Amino acid sequence: MISNFIGGQFRAGSGGKSFPDTNPADGSLIDQVSEASQSDVHDAVQSARAALDGPWGRLTLAQRCDMLHAVADAVDRRADDFIAAEIADTGKPHALASHLDIPRGAANFRVFADVVRNVPTECFTGQAPDGKPVLNYALRRPKGVVAVVCPWNLPLLLMTWKVGPALACGNTVVVKPSEETPATATLLGEVMNQVGVPAGVYNVVHGFGPGSAGEFLTTHPGVDAITFTGETSTGAAIMRASAGGIKPVSMELGGKNPAIVFADANLDVVAAGLARSVFENTGQVCLGTERVYVQRPVFDAVVQRLAETARGLRPGRPTDAATNFGPLVSASHQAKVLGYYQLARDEGARVVCGGGVPAMPDALRGGAWIEPTVWTGLAHGSRTAREEIFGPCCAVIPFDTEAEALTLANDTPYGLAASVYTRDIDRAHRFASKLRVGLVWINAWFVRDLRTPFGGSGQSGLGREGGVHSLEFYTELSNVCIKLEPTDAGAAHA
Ligand code: NAD
Ligand code: 6OD
């Protein structure tokens, strides 16, 4: 049984309810997950509050940061356990889990401990109206108990991306992992206990959204702030539900990200970039590319390179070293993506490659497999080219001029990420400055420096996290103004 983790204890849900955790590669049952009841969620919030006011709140900054480094080291030591759990829950290939998800799960604790340790304090000296000196400085206090609601695509990476800075800033957390991928959040509870993180600092409640742990947590009056990653419509529901409590929210939401390929680009770089941004993690990355705009002289060449990449992907058992393409996360997500594959045909797409379900060996036939798919011939305004699919597919659309490419790229309610391929540095700079997105990669994709601002505009999110920007969300600023009484004339000018 995959348990909740509340106040340092692994606990079955008090309502006695559980739900299955399924391996998407073959449809087999991994384990049952114990669903948290409303009273379990309440206990988790109370435990988080007690730790905040107690042992966690009493640690010095240095002690807290050292402890987060110890958490990171312990995740590294147990990397094989985390990798195995993440692969079973998501179906992602071993190489991806071991190079991206789990190392980032550790790095998120190290980097944010160091950011918080090194951030300077804002300070101004000045004069009061009577001419006496005043000193203003800003203190950062933790927000309090932070609810962390997570998606299934990069479970440990995206959860620790928020838990790391939240704890580094002195908050305590209650995490609601996705119902699809509960395992690594509970495993992290073992690490927290091994390292000696005080009970109640890190809590996990399992369940669903409405009428379950997600809703119980995000509407709980004892929660001080909510950080969410997931679909735009879910983010809107959480904002509505939390509005009464005037809770600060950080929202990392969906996208329909463009790649823009200019004719002067290095097509090997383009092919390598698109191979990752369209197909990595079976297209289930919020930053992934689903719209590829290609300048007409290189259109056919880019389509051909994309199709070659797609045909060369090797679906198979995710634990096999040769596998580089996993299943989708669930049968229901497979049904959604296949619905878009049909819609694309209905909207007049030419299916360059893919478009269905691959033939898999008997042992994997129960999995949520999908073919990587490339379309041309879709109108820019078609639903396929406008709505987030979250699958390994893209619409390739030609353009002639830079101005046209910009209009096409920006014509979306989303605004998360874009990749631009060109060897013209002036154009790259000019174009990047006009894209209405939170993240632009030039001749690259998903290259991350955790000190940089991360987030989306429009329907892709609210706020920025990363580096010191995370501190803006996870701390409350208090300004302290001290009026000084100088004892001699020289000090008045201090
Ligand atoms: P989702 O919105 O369906 O679920 C996310 C989490 O919210 C889950 O834990 C779910 O149980 C919970 N939830 C659902 N309804 C809720 C409610 N009413 N109240 C409280 N909690 C609720 O998202 P998903 O399907 O897990 O993830 C895929 C989506 O996430 C895609 O849209 C993707 O673009 C987005 N995403 C965005 C980013 C980013 O950084 N911008 C990163 C990863 C994923
Ligand atoms: O790299 C990150 O910090 C991050 N938040 C990535 C999000 C990926 C979305 O699927």
Side-chain angles (χ1 to χ4, degrees), residues 203-275:
N203 304 273
V204 180
V205 291
H206 289 296
F208 303 86
S212 183
E215 181 184 328
F216 302 151
L217 179 60
T218 51
T219 55
H220 194 290
V223 164
D224 298 301
I226 302 169
T227 179
F228 171 75
T229 308
E231 278 189 22
T232 299
S233 58
T234 311
I238 290 176
M239 284 178 77
R240 277 193 297 276
S242 63
I246 318 285
K247 303 269 166 78
V249 290
S250 173
M251 292 277 149
E252 294 183 350
L253 308 175
K256 186 75 179 177
N257 310 301
I260 302 96
V261 181
F262 287 97
D264 70 335
N266 177 333
L267 291 195
D268 291 335
V269 171
V270 173
L274 292 179

Side-chain angles (χ1 to χ4, degrees), residues 104 108 151 153-154 157-158 161 229 252 281 284-288 390 416 446 448 450 454:
R104 258 299 295 280
N108 286 332
N153 59 325
L154 304 162
L157 185 160
L158 289 174
W161 160 248
T229 308
E252 294 183 350
N281 209 37
Q284 303 163 119
V285 182
C286 61
L287 310 160
F390 221 53
L416 187 52
F446 201 4
R448 295 279 289 114
L450 304 189
F454 181 99

Side-chain angles (χ1 to χ4, degrees), residues 60-423:
T60 63
L61 173 65
Q63 288 170 324
R64 203 164 71 221
C65 293
D66 286 350
M67 201 167 258
L68 296 181
H69 271 265
V71 170
D73 295 345
V75 170
D76 282 342
R77 278 196 301 278
R78 294 197 61 186
D80 288 345
D81 296 339
F82 278 98
I83 291 166
E86 207 74 304
I87 291 175
D89 268 3
T90 60
K92 66 180 72 203
H94 186 277
L96 192 59
S98 58
H99 286 106
L100 175 68
D101 295 74
I102 307 309
R104 258 299 295 280
N108 286 332
F109 287 104
R110 264 185 213 112
V111 169
F112 286 103
D114 292 348
V115 167
V116 171
R117 215 196 289 255
N118 291 310
V119 78
T121 300
E122 203 177 325
C123 180
F124 296 96
T125 55
Q127 273 83 44
D130 63 4
K132 291 194 174 157
V134 290
L135 177 64
N136 278 284
Y137 62 94
L139 285 176
R140 285 192 182 275
R141 293 181 290 106
K143 277 260 164 64
V145 175
V146 179
V148 182
V149 182
C150 307
W152 44 256
N153 59 325
L154 304 162
L156 185 75
L157 185 160
L158 289 174
M159 188 253 285
T160 54
W161 160 248
K162 288 162 177 298
V163 171
L167 297 190
C169 290
N171 302 281
T172 56
V173 297
V174 182
V175 174
K176 211 300 275 173
S178 168
E179 54 273 35
E180 305 284 1
T181 54
T184 47
T186 290
L187 199 49
L188 189 62
E190 289 182 22
V191 164
M192 294 286 178
N193 280 352
Q194 280 158 9
V195 164
V197 173
V201 170
Y202 170 81
N203 304 273
V204 180
V205 291
H206 289 296
F208 303 86
S212 183
E215 181 184 328
F216 302 151
L217 179 60
T218 51
T219 55
H220 194 290
V223 164
D224 298 301
I226 302 169
T227 179
F228 171 75
T229 308
E231 278 189 22
T232 299
S233 58
T234 311
I238 290 176
M239 284 178 77
R240 277 193 297 276
S242 63
I246 318 285
K247 303 269 166 78
V249 290
S250 173
M251 292 277 149
E252 294 183 350
L253 308 175
K256 186 75 179 177
N257 310 301
I260 302 96
V261 181
F262 287 97
D264 70 335
N266 177 333
L267 291 195
D268 291 335
V269 171
V270 173
L274 292 179
R276 289 190 58 227
S277 73
V278 179
F279 303 122
E280 190 165 283
N281 209 37
T282 315
Q284 303 163 119
V285 182
C286 61
L287 310 160
T289 302
E290 291 189 357
R291 299 183 286 148
V292 183
Y293 299 109
V294 184
Q295 208 161 20
R296 219 171 285 271
V298 293
F299 183 83
D300 290 342
V302 170
V303 170
Q304 190 189 331
R305 297 288 291 263
L306 255 171
E308 275 166 18
T309 303
R311 292 193 190 103
L313 290 168
R314 297 180 303 275
R317 180 135 329 258
T319 45
D320 290 350
T323 299
N324 63 8
F325 190 73
L328 292 168
V329 76
S330 63
S332 65
H333 191 52
Q334 182 196 39
K336 175 186 160 186
V337 176
L338 285 173
Y340 276 102
Y341 282 15
Q342 181 58 47
L343 176 68
R345 282 191 288 271
D346 296 344
E347 291 186 314
R350 180 170 91 80
V351 182
V352 180
C353 63
V357 174
M360 298 300 291
D362 282 350
L364 299 178
R365 222 160 264 161
W369 296 94
I370 192 90
E371 284 180 334
T373 295
V374 177
W375 300 293
T376 57
L378 278 166
H380 166 73
S382 62
R383 281 184 55 205
T384 311
R386 291 190 70 78
E387 297 175 12
E388 182 186 53
I389 301 171
F390 221 53
C393 52
C394 64
V396 195
I397 296 173
F399 71 88
D400 292 301
T401 65
E402 184 180 321
E404 183 190 359
L406 186 67
T407 303
L408 292 169
N410 278 339
D411 182 23
T412 170
Y414 292 110
L416 187 52
S419 325
V420 181
Y421 294 90
T422 177
R423 281 189 262 218

